[in-house]
Amino acid sequence: MADLTGKDLICTQEWSVKELLKVLELAEDMKKKRFDKKYTRMLLNKTFFMFFYNPSVRTRQSFECAATELGGHAQFLEPKSMRLKTAKSAGETVEDAAKVMSRYAAGLGIRILEDKVSHYGEGDDLLREYAKWSDIPIISMAHDKFHPCQGLADVMGLRKHLGKNLKGRKLLQVWGHGALARSWCSVQESLLICSRFGMDVTVAYPEGYDLDPAVIAQVKENCNDNKAKFEITHDVRAGYKGADVVYSRNWMTPHAYDKGELDKQGEIDRALKFTDWICDAAKMRLTNNALFTHPMPIDRGHEVTDDVASGPRSIIYDVAENRLHVQKAIMALTMEKL
Ligand code: CP
């Protein structure tokens, strides 16, 4: 297998299944032997830059802990602490910033999504621009298209609770109404990585909430490659039947940026009308005793009821914990030898 040193992680689809398994297996071992000496010096004296355009609980905290546990350090950066060129102001180019950052740090994580982009794909373009100029790995910490660290943490959780072979298991990825206008990143990443690992996939959402057609085409291709099923339904209940995993999450419409910026209030006003689109105990009873998962933060009472989110089949905290372990594995594999 190829050495992963220096490899960017912008979407799991760009890594082979073997490479993803290498991350998962290392993360699983790191979880078992969390403070074993072999894992506490891998980033000794090295710094990971975390560049956040948007706020975070899990991503910032887990990356900071990950760097500390590997013997290194994570430095928090945000646009206001730098003087970067933007569409509206003069400043430093990505080329210069990336080249300089590469002289200091072992890796650079970037988060940019929701209201910090003016159109879908702008965040992805920015990460790829950093990747073009930097000599260190660029890691998506969630951007408008993808959230690879979340996808790996999701699969690590499913492997723990369903066993390592996920082939033939059914994932229901279901839209939830709510008072947030969320980017497509976590949902698209989950669809891509779960279909790579052989799961049957059903996506359920009200009409008008289509995801990126290119991503959906790739998910279909992944399912075809694995002889797995893929379907889209606009029925609020049908997808639950036979599901082994239910992943509920709000996401924005494809028209969210039609005004040249995120129409957050318009998206929220529209989403809140679909009150039936909540994952609740009655719908979960239609499943194959499914696990419930969500990347968090959860909009409880909208995306999912409390009794499901905090119920015996919920794996939300395991998955949140897995962010730490998969990120330690990613950092060790991509940054250790630099
Ligand atoms: N799931 C996730 O990325 O959480 P945060 O937004 O809190 O980082």
Side-chain angles (χ1 to χ4, degrees):
M1 188 193 308
D3 183 356
L4 296 175
T5 309
K7 196 170 169 81
D8 302 316
L9 181 56
I10 295 178
C11 176
T12 56
Q13 188 71 35
E14 291 157 16
W15 286 32
S16 70
V17 170
K18 275 190 178 169
E19 289 170 336
L20 298 175
L21 276 170
K22 192 169 176 178
V23 174
L24 289 166
E25 283 162 8
L26 179 57
E28 284 158 2
D29 200 52
M30 285 175 151
K31 182 175 179 178
K32 271 190 226 136
K33 303 171 193 157
R34 184 157 168 188
F35 297 106
D36 191 296
K37 269 190 194 151
K38 72 176 170 175
Y39 292 139
T40 54
R41 300 173 66 81
M42 295 177 107
L43 274 199
L44 194 65
N45 299 325
K46 290 178 182 161
T47 300
F48 177 67
F49 284 152
M50 306 180 298
F51 188 15
F52 281 99
Y53 284 78
N54 301 78
S56 157
V57 170
R58 277 143 294 275
T59 305
R60 179 177 178 181
Q61 293 173 8
S62 56
F63 263 112
E64 269 194 57
C65 292
T68 303
E69 291 185 17
L70 293 171
H73 169 71
Q75 186 178 135
F76 177 76
L77 302 168
E78 52 189 341
K80 74 178 181 199
S81 61
M82 297 159 74
R83 282 177 298 218
L84 292 170
K85 183 172 161 46
T86 70
K88 292 178 190 158
S89 62
E92 190 158 29
T93 62
V94 170
E95 177 181 354
D96 287 341
K99 287 190 170 186
V100 171
M101 288 161 126
S102 300
R103 302 285 177 108
Y104 302 142
L108 167 61
I110 304 175
R111 163 168 291 203
I112 181 163
L113 66 169
E114 296 169 352
D115 60 327
K116 298 300 185 286
V117 296
S118 61
H119 61 269
Y120 172 73
E122 188 182 3
D124 195 69
D125 290 345
L126 182 76
L127 265 76
R128 292 183 195 282
E129 180 76 0
Y130 271 96
K132 177 178 164 189
W133 297 114
S134 81
D135 300 320
I136 53 176
I138 301 300
I139 309 296
S140 170
M141 300 194 301
H143 64 284
D144 51 359
K145 281 191 169 183
F146 306 118
H147 196 349
C149 300
Q150 186 63 53
L152 281 157
D154 296 337
V155 169
M156 185 173 168
L158 300 187
R159 280 160 61 89
K160 179 187 168 199
H161 290 275
L162 296 177
K164 292 195 173 163
N165 183 4
L166 297 175
K167 282 193 171 59
R169 298 291 197 160
K170 175 177 169 179
L171 167 71
L172 169 64
Q173 194 88 48
V174 58
W175 185 87
H177 79 299
L180 295 165
R182 304 207 200 243
S183 285
W184 295 348
C185 54
S186 302
V187 171
Q188 295 192 152
E189 193 71 55
S190 165
L191 292 170
L192 287 166
I193 193 168
C194 288
S195 58
R196 298 288 292 296
F197 280 85
M199 295 185 79
D200 293 334
V201 173
T202 296
V203 197
Y205 54 91
E207 284 186 39
Y209 282 88
D210 289 344
L211 294 163
D212 183 337
V215 172
I216 293 299
Q218 184 62 63
V219 175
K220 281 185 195 165
E221 195 178 317
N222 293 346
C223 287
N224 279 341
D225 290 347
N226 286 313
K227 300 188 173 35
K229 294 177 199 144
F230 175 84
E231 64 173 350
I232 292 176
T233 177
H234 302 305
D235 184 302
V236 72
R237 281 174 194 79
Y240 282 83
K241 286 182 195 134
D244 296 295
V245 181
V246 174
Y247 181 139
S248 75
R249 174 78 162 174
N250 171 260
W251 66 79
M252 59 180 70
T253 71
H255 299 291
Y257 295 102
D258 281 359
K259 294 177 180 167
E261 60 180 7
L262 176 62
D263 178 15
K264 188 169 179 178
Q265 197 54 52
E267 287 292 311
I268 291 170
D269 292 345
R270 181 188 165 106
L272 284 174
K273 291 180 189 146
F274 294 94
T275 52
D276 206 20
W277 286 83
I278 181 167
C279 176
D280 57 23
K283 296 190 191 87
M284 289 297 280
R285 279 195 286 276
L286 301 171
T287 68
N288 184 27
N289 193 26
L291 299 169
F292 173 78
T293 193
H294 187 293
M296 305 180 84
I298 298 177
D299 187 4
R300 287 172 179 254
H302 286 126
E303 294 173 314
V304 59
T305 54
D306 276 334
D307 57 339
V308 173
S310 299
R313 298 298 287 162
S314 174
I315 60 166
I316 55 173
Y317 302 124
D318 279 351
V319 168
E321 180 192 329
N322 291 343
R323 293 289 306 279
L324 171 72
H325 307 299
V326 297
Q327 288 158 199
K328 282 173 74 175
I330 292 162
M331 292 165 97
L333 290 168
T334 63
M335 300 168 204
E336 187 192 10
K337 290 187 199 146
L338 292 171

